[in-house]
Amino acid sequence: MVALAIALAAGPAAAEIAVRHARGQTILPGVPKTVVVFDLAALDTLDALGVPVAGVAGGPKPPALARYNDASRYPRMGTLWEPDYEAVNALGPDLVVVGGRSGPRYDALARMAPTIDLSSDPADMLGSDLRNIRTLARIFGKEAQAEDRIARIEAGIAALHARAGQAGTALFLLTTGGRMSAFGRGSRFGLLHGAFGFRPAAPGLDAGIHGQPVSFEFVARTDPDWLFVLDRDAAIGVQGRPARQLLDNALVRQTAAWRKGQVVTVDPASWYLASGGLRALQTTIDEIAAALDRAR
Amino acid sequence: MAGSLTRGGGPGRRAGLVLAVLSLALLAAASLAVGVADLTGAGILAGSRIPRTLALVLAGAGMAVAGVIMQLVAQNRFAEPSTAGTAESATFGMLLVTLLAPGAPVAVKMLAATAAALAGTALFLRVLRAMPLRARLTVPLVGIMLGGVVEAASTFVATRTDMLQFLAIWRSGDFSTVLSGRYELLWLSAALTVLAYGMADRITIAGLGRDASVNLGLDYRRVVAGAVAIVATITAVTIATVGTIPFLGLVVPNLVALVAGDNLRRSLPLVAAAGAGLLLLCDVLGRLVRYPYEIPVGTTMGVVGSGLFLVLLLRRTDRHA
């Protein structure tokens, strides 16, 4: 509404696009042509909407976005954590998108080019993810296309929510290098309990976005009906001790989740790399729905 | 000969050993009793509690022994694997082998870590030999600087290869995922501790310096090489299985030296027992503070160890290192 009012008040320069984001408001003089992206969720959304991107951060990408690793077509703009400011400057983008890992670089980038921060809000993961998708769609005039896909996502979530409540308790684990952490409601993987509606197997896990280091005894005692496992090493293409092998032990085998065959190794790219992107969201919904289907 | 080197500290040492073994038994019992799952649950004791307690005892004893050996070899009270470049080099070796042969079994990774640890420690001793003045604090400072250089190389490689979190894991000791079948490599560190005990008299003499050793008919180079190999292997085994454990090798030998003197054959059992006990204590604390979640022992040991280290520093200002 405010954006609309501002756009109207601007009168003749109505091509201006006012974008509200996690760090305030940025006015774009028109539809950006040269776009640099420092956020894999945003890249996922732009790619799904068919918006061309001129430069991306290097580093591991979800398989669906692998073509952005081709540095001859998409010049590398540094990493998600450390932009290459000279490369960004040389490209002279009309829009830079940061979020999550690159959020702290907003100020430096905003001095060089119109920049927006599409970080997720841990207090309202799904809400902020959908808002970010809509923001990008609006900037590039892809609203209709985005709304179609958002409608599918929302329907998928509603269907999941109706079933997940009866599916028993769930625990989300992240494994890396032979260690593991559990994530609860307020975490970066909180979607599982919030939007998707799985009952937490460990209700005390609410606080903290980074998860808690836990032992196998914790998993055995929590005894979840569902164990959702994110193999972080697989997400970044490093071969550690695979999550499945790590969990295959006497203590985890005691849990209801293991006995019922309800240990789900989630798609690491959609949950870890591009979480919150348009396609990533749909993938997570589909895979959890498929897991629930298999359980019947 | 060993007797003439170290009289004194007799009754103190015996009392200390009794106390250390008693505390060790109590702490081991506590470690067996503390945990998230119900102790009577199927497989909890045999599959989780006993392995974790054994792993703590083996790693704690091993790192403390590695510390005391390093201190004798470098002739400095503040030298230990993490102030001599050994730990950082072992981590660098782990990183390289994980990058080059990601599917290699843990034993192979450990071998690579050992080789790197040996090279790093040898370089440290080489630099020390070239130093005209070895003041008390310059020795660990040189080691820390050397370790810093190796660590910077690791960080650089890890940044370029997205391995930073792996590095963080090897740099922080954590026993939370220790189970039966996943810690047994640490028995190697126990075997090396026994080996060190066998070499104790020779290492003690080497601790008097090259000239004194040669005068006493000791093959100084061989003893030092053997001692360094033991230190490097214990460090590498520990890092490959549970990660780096800070301060342990520093504070335990110093505390033990206060009551038992510097004869390794006499002090080694006490060093091993006290190292195991201190690590058990820190791990049990880490399991209780945020129950049912865990604080890695690397963190609790960092807090407890640095506190003890400060006490030692302030107490010992009048003694020459």
Side-chain angles (χ1 to χ4, degrees):
Chain A
M1 213 49 167
V2 174
L4 189 65
I6 290 170
L8 287 176
E16 276 188 354
I17 307 166
V19 186
R20 276 209 285 169
H21 54 87
R23 282 173 211 260
Q25 180 165 258
T26 302
I27 310 280
L28 305 173
V31 178
K33 288 191 185 61
T34 310
V35 184
V36 168
V37 185
F38 285 101
D39 180 51
L40 291 172
L43 186 63
D44 185 54
T45 301
L46 291 173
D47 189 73
L49 295 176
V51 175
V53 169
V56 296
K61 306 262 185 317
L65 300 175
R67 67 193 176 96
Y68 292 97
N69 278 328
D70 179 358
S72 60
R73 283 168 67 199
Y74 304 96
R76 284 185 66 147
M77 299 284 118
T79 70
L80 290 175
W81 292 268
E82 205 52 65
D84 180 342
Y85 298 106
E86 297 197 13
V88 174
N89 193 46
L91 207 59
D94 309 314
L95 175 67
V96 176
V97 185
V98 298
R101 300 165 175 99
S102 57
R105 305 296 174 207
Y106 173 82
D107 288 333
L109 287 162
R111 280 196 287 271
M112 307 175 67
T115 304
I116 59 174
D117 178 359
L118 299 184
S119 297
S120 303
D121 174 5
D124 178 20
M125 250 347 174
L126 182 66
S128 59
D129 290 345
L130 294 180
R131 198 161 58 237
N132 289 338
I133 293 170
R134 289 192 164 108
T135 300
L136 288 170
R138 191 169 59 82
I139 294 173
F140 296 97
K142 303 274 186 183
E143 286 102 327
Q145 211 181 326
E147 287 308 325
D148 271 1
R149 302 186 68 147
I150 287 176
R152 229 183 100 206
I153 286 173
E154 285 178 330
I157 287 177
L160 260 190
H161 204 103
R163 300 164 69 190
Q166 276 83 54
T169 60
L171 180 66
F172 196 102
L173 285 181
L174 177 144
T175 69
T176 184
R179 310 225 177 130
M180 56 183 184
S181 319
F183 287 76
R185 222 185 260 277
S187 74
R188 59 192 292 182
F189 308 117
L191 219 53
L192 184 74
H193 303 301
F196 297 175
F198 278 91
R199 248 182 317 130
L205 258 174
D206 284 4
I209 190 161
H210 287 299
Q212 296 286 347
V214 293
S215 59
F216 290 112
E217 288 193 21
F218 176 85
V219 179
R221 155 91 173 270
T222 307
D223 192 17
D225 296 306
W226 288 87
L227 200 48
F228 293 99
V229 186
L230 173 69
D231 187 342
R232 182 190 169 277
D233 305 341
I236 59 166
V238 174
Q239 199 180 333
R241 194 207 297 261
R244 192 78 195 184
Q245 193 188 330
L246 181 73
L247 291 173
D248 189 359
N249 61 60
L251 273 73
V252 177
R253 277 184 233 126
Q254 294 173 14
T255 60
W258 190 279
R259 290 198 313 269
K260 296 182 195 167
Q262 295 181 162
V263 179
V264 182
T265 312
V266 301
D267 175 42
S270 305
W271 282 89
Y272 187 77
L273 294 177
S275 58
L278 184 50
R279 217 171 335 178
L281 259 176
Q282 187 68 56
T283 308
T284 55
I285 293 163
D286 291 347
E287 86 175 331
I288 305 289
L292 284 174
D293 286 343
R294 277 199 305 277
R296 297 202 153 169
Chain B
M1 183 190 290
S4 67
L5 275 171
T6 54
R7 239 172 241 134
R13 183 186 71 95
R14 215 160 297 133
L17 189 58
V18 170
L19 192 70
V21 170
L22 269 180
S23 333
L24 182 58
L26 277 176
L27 287 162
S31 171
L32 289 174
V34 171
V36 180
D38 191 355
L39 190 56
T40 53
I44 296 295
L45 193 63
S48 168
R49 261 358 125 64
I50 291 175
R52 183 166 186 161
T53 302
L54 279 175
L56 285 159
V57 168
L58 296 173
M63 285 315 292
V65 166
V68 76
I69 297 176
M70 202 64 224
Q71 287 168 22
L72 285 168
V73 170
Q75 291 181 274
N76 188 286
R77 286 245 179 266
F78 297 119
E80 65 129 354
S82 67
T83 58
T86 313
E88 291 81 1
S89 304
T91 309
F92 189 52
M94 283 289 290
L95 176 67
L96 290 186
V97 73
T98 306
L99 282 172
L100 299 175
V106 187
V108 172
K109 292 189 175 165
M110 193 215 82
L111 272 179
T114 307
L118 269 174
T121 316
L123 181 64
F124 168 69
L125 293 175
R126 184 78 214 235
V127 172
L128 276 197
R129 265 214 309 281
M131 270 167 52
L133 270 176
R134 288 200 208 169
R136 185 166 73 130
L137 287 174
T138 49
V139 172
L141 279 180
V142 164
I144 289 167
M145 278 156 63
L146 185 68
V149 173
V150 177
E151 201 168 72
S154 296
T155 307
F156 175 77
V157 174
T159 309
R160 288 301 175 98
T161 50
D162 284 301
M163 296 283 290
L164 276 178
Q165 291 212 5
F166 272 72
L167 216 51
I169 285 168
W170 298 323
R171 279 175 187 167
S172 123
D174 181 5
F175 288 75
S176 63
T177 53
V178 167
L179 288 177
S180 157
R182 298 197 178 162
Y183 76 100
E184 281 74 1
L185 217 54
L186 285 171
W187 284 105
L188 186 56
S189 123
L192 290 163
T193 303
V194 173
L195 189 65
Y197 191 67
M199 287 176 65
D201 290 341
R202 277 169 285 165
I203 298 176
T204 304
I205 296 172
L208 298 172
R210 172 191 287 270
D211 295 345
S213 308
V214 172
N215 277 333
L216 289 165
L218 188 78
D219 188 344
Y220 180 77
R221 286 179 64 111
R222 254 179 63 185
V223 172
V224 168
V228 168
I230 290 174
V231 171
T233 315
I234 291 179
T235 308
V237 169
T238 312
I239 289 177
T241 15
V242 291
T244 315
I245 299 162
F247 287 110
L248 188 71
L250 190 63
V251 297
V252 169
N254 278 288
L255 287 171
V256 170
L258 290 179
V259 292
D262 285 337
N263 180 331
L264 193 57
R265 197 151 59 89
R266 295 186 169 200
S267 66
L268 201 87
L270 194 52
V271 167
L278 184 58
L279 193 60
L280 279 169
L281 175 71
C282 288
D283 190 63
V284 170
L285 280 179
R287 276 183 262 174
L288 289 174
V289 171
R290 286 197 39 75
Y291 185 90
Y293 315 117
E294 301 223 355
I295 294 178
V297 75
T299 310
T300 43
M301 181 55 89
V303 173
V304 173
S306 55
L308 284 172
F309 182 50
L310 275 180
V311 171
L312 280 171
L313 266 184
L314 297 175
R315 266 189 64 118
R316 300 182 56 91
T317 40
D318 53 335
R319 274 182 67 168
H320 188 64

